[in-house]
Amino acid sequence: MNTPNFSELGLSEPVLRALDDCGYTQPTPIQQAAIPIIMDGDDLIASAQTGTGKTAAFTLPLIDDIATRPAGKGDTPLVLILTPTRELALQIDENVKAYGKYTGIRTCVVLGGVPSGPQIDLLRRGVDIVIATPGRLIDLVEQGEMVLDDVEFLILDEADRMLDMGFSPDVRWIADRVPTPRQTLLFSATISSGIKSLASTVQTEARTVSVAPPASVADNIDQQVMFVRKADKIDLLINLLNRKKGGRFLVFTGTKIGAIQVARQLQNHGIKASAIHSNKSQVQRQQALAAFSKGKVRVLVATDIMARGIDVEDISHVVNYDLPNDAENYIHRIGRTARAGRAGVALSLCGIEDIPQLRGVERLVARSLDVQDDHRWHSTRVAACLTASTKAARSRARSGKARGSGSKWRR
Ligand code: AMP
């Protein structure tokens, strides 16, 4: 089956340009499934987890819709996105700003725990999209600062978490005040009876889509970790590349500057390497990818955002030069090796600053990575820090259980 690209999905030029800047080359499955439904104007229940690209799935068509309206923009919001947590609200806002950067779209994040003054000022100046946690939104509606009269799109993101956190009455209160007819989109990792009951009261004839959770780790990937001081990482990597004569290496750094620097240092040591990052044009990126897949370049250094479009066969090693902040990205990264049933190595270079991320990764993959300490840059100090941090976490978990506190949100 042919995968549509973003322009075939009908998105307009300013949005396509922004997606190109983000380095997105192809829509993810949830985007392929949800965007046409949203563009048709239908209500939607989407079962999709974080990491599937769900945020772009609902924000892209809405940004597109607002940006292409001939009548121009009013002052009160057209889109209301409800989320369970402040972190998620801020992340969505960041995404909307990135996707809407050529459209002049105006956003406002409404969340508790911070003074409401700046949020009220922003709302008074006029916004198109509000991203909110339920509690503060209700306060502002009650104070008359948040006007819901013109909202045409209501989005409930991570609806299952909102229900778990006890927000069901708040969500219903808000939905009752968003005028109909409207388009209501509900995204949730799981579709429980609670979600179905919520959907039946806030939606009309919703269409449903469901995508698989992000890929789990294939068995044929050998997951290793090396403890090493940050300053020694480059020497360790060069040594590794010199010892292993063959093989195609994909190296991940946390930042694009990091990617440029690592590629440059490898080149200085006679290793054929190049970096792909968002400062390069689409053509330059494609050239770098082509050189890598033809074997003209042995090492490709990339950031997470650039990696989504990399579909190169025969990557023997994925090296996490920096561990990813989001553990899900570890799975995306290492899934680039061991394609088509072949074996592959995923090697993480862990410094002290990477320890929290390593713990997150180990939690996610539910195992400890194999420690490779047979090299001259092995840092016992980093290894000891990991042990200490794991012990501390275990004891925190034990004392939490002993007091029976658990999460205050869990029922
Ligand atoms: P989400 O599931 O919305 O949290 O998205 C997970 C990650 O995927 C985020 O870092 C997005 O920036 C990224 N992302 C979303 N859509 C795409 C795409 N089509 N291509 C590459 N990356 C994407």
Side-chain angles (χ1 to χ4, degrees):
M1 202 183 79
N2 262 355
T3 313
N5 58 32
F6 283 113
S7 103
E8 284 161 343
L9 286 176
L11 295 170
S12 59
E13 195 279 332
V15 175
L16 293 175
R17 196 149 35 108
L19 290 174
D20 191 38
D21 290 353
C22 292
Y24 297 3
T25 48
Q26 273 212 328
T28 64
I30 186 67
Q31 292 160 9
Q32 289 166 37
I35 291 175
I37 296 177
I38 300 174
M39 286 184 148
D40 278 351
D42 288 332
D43 281 2
L44 171 71
I45 302 179
S47 153
Q49 296 188 354
T50 298
T52 54
K54 67 180 172 64
T55 312
F58 62 81
T59 53
L60 291 175
L62 302 185
I63 294 171
D64 197 86
D65 181 306
I66 297 174
T68 51
R69 287 185 182 204
K73 303 185 188 92
D75 281 338
T76 53
L78 298 171
V79 177
L80 173 59
I81 303 173
L82 288 182
T83 73
T85 64
R86 8 173 335 112
E87 290 72 27
L88 191 57
L90 293 168
Q91 196 184 312
I92 296 173
D93 184 52
E94 208 175 282
N95 287 1
V96 172
K97 287 199 167 94
Y99 307 148
K101 75 190 226 202
Y102 298 116
T103 63
I105 215 111
R106 300 159 303 169
T107 69
C108 176
V109 182
V110 167
L111 34 83
V114 288
S116 56
Q119 298 168 8
I120 293 174
D121 287 347
L122 210 55
L123 289 171
R124 286 184 185 163
R125 284 209 292 275
V127 295
D128 305 302
I129 299 184
V130 169
I131 304 138
T133 51
R136 173 62 61 85
L137 185 89
I138 291 177
D139 291 347
L140 296 190
V141 171
E142 284 181 332
Q143 289 166 28
E145 296 293 353
M146 168 82 200
V147 178
L148 298 174
D149 297 354
D150 294 321
V151 172
E152 296 177 19
F153 304 97
L154 173 64
I155 294 90
L156 311 180
D157 189 25
E158 306 216 347
D160 48 351
R161 276 174 82 194
M162 289 206 274
L163 296 195
D164 283 349
M165 290 166 75
F167 285 138
S168 177
D170 291 357
V171 172
R172 288 169 198 261
W173 188 96
I174 294 164
D176 277 350
R177 281 157 183 80
V178 176
T180 49
R182 63 167 188 241
Q183 199 175 352
T184 308
L185 314 174
L186 184 153
F187 281 72
S188 185
T190 51
I191 308 293
S192 60
S193 54
I195 291 290
K196 284 185 192 147
S197 140
L198 173 67
S200 68
T201 52
V202 301
Q203 295 189 299
T204 353
E205 292 177 20
R207 290 163 68 183
T208 54
V209 298
S210 152
V211 297
S216 54
V217 177
D219 289 342
N220 48 346
I221 303 179
D222 186 5
Q223 299 180 65
Q224 306 175 356
V225 60
M226 288 177 157
F227 296 119
V228 52
R229 290 186 328 127
K230 189 176 185 177
D232 291 337
K233 283 186 179 182
I234 192 70
D235 289 336
L236 173 57
L237 179 61
I238 291 167
N239 178 270
L240 211 77
L241 285 159
N242 285 338
R243 272 193 293 135
K244 302 210 184 313
K245 284 293 170 218
R248 195 167 289 168
F249 284 65
L250 178 59
V251 176
F252 284 96
T253 57
T255 61
K256 77 181 156 205
I257 299 197
I260 297 167
Q261 284 169 345
V262 169
R264 198 170 294 147
Q265 303 208 54
L266 297 181
Q267 289 157 2
N268 291 345
H269 283 78
I271 296 165
K272 291 201 172 109
S274 75
I276 52 166
H277 49 81
S278 52
N279 283 2
K280 291 200 170 176
S281 68
Q282 183 69 16
V283 174
Q284 286 171 319
R285 282 184 233 151
Q286 271 160 358
Q287 282 168 345
L289 273 177
F292 183 54
S293 73
K294 285 188 193 131
K296 289 186 188 154
V297 162
R298 189 174 160 222
V299 185
L300 189 66
V301 192
T303 55
D304 288 302
I305 215 77
M306 282 295 117
R308 303 271 168 160
I310 300 176
D311 191 12
V312 173
E313 290 296 310
D314 274 347
I315 293 175
S316 59
H317 290 70
V318 168
V319 178
N320 295 309
Y321 193 87
D322 303 310
L323 272 113
N325 286 329
D326 179 355
E328 292 278 356
N329 278 339
Y330 174 83
I331 302 207
H332 293 302
R333 287 178 177 190
I334 74 172
R336 310 282 142 181
T337 181
R339 293 266 167 117
R342 294 192 190 88
V345 176
L347 178 59
S348 297
L349 307 187
C350 177
I352 287 206
E353 60 291 336
D354 298 299
I355 285 179
Q357 285 83 338
L358 178 63
R359 294 195 54 239
V361 163
E362 293 193 332
R363 241 191 334 261
L364 185 68
V365 297
R367 53 159 290 187
S368 305
L369 309 192
D370 296 333
V371 178
Q372 301 290 313
D373 54 8
D374 187 15
H375 58 93
R376 59 183 241 248
W377 293 276
H378 175 68
S379 166
T380 46
R381 193 161 155 247
V382 178
C385 270
L386 178 67
T387 316
S389 121
T390 309
K391 268 195 196 145
R394 275 203 203 115
S395 107
R396 269 199 307 276
R398 264 200 304 273
S399 62
K401 269 190 207 133
R403 285 199 306 276
S405 59
S407 160
K408 72 174 183 171
W409 303 118
R410 233 160 257 148
R411 283 194 232 145

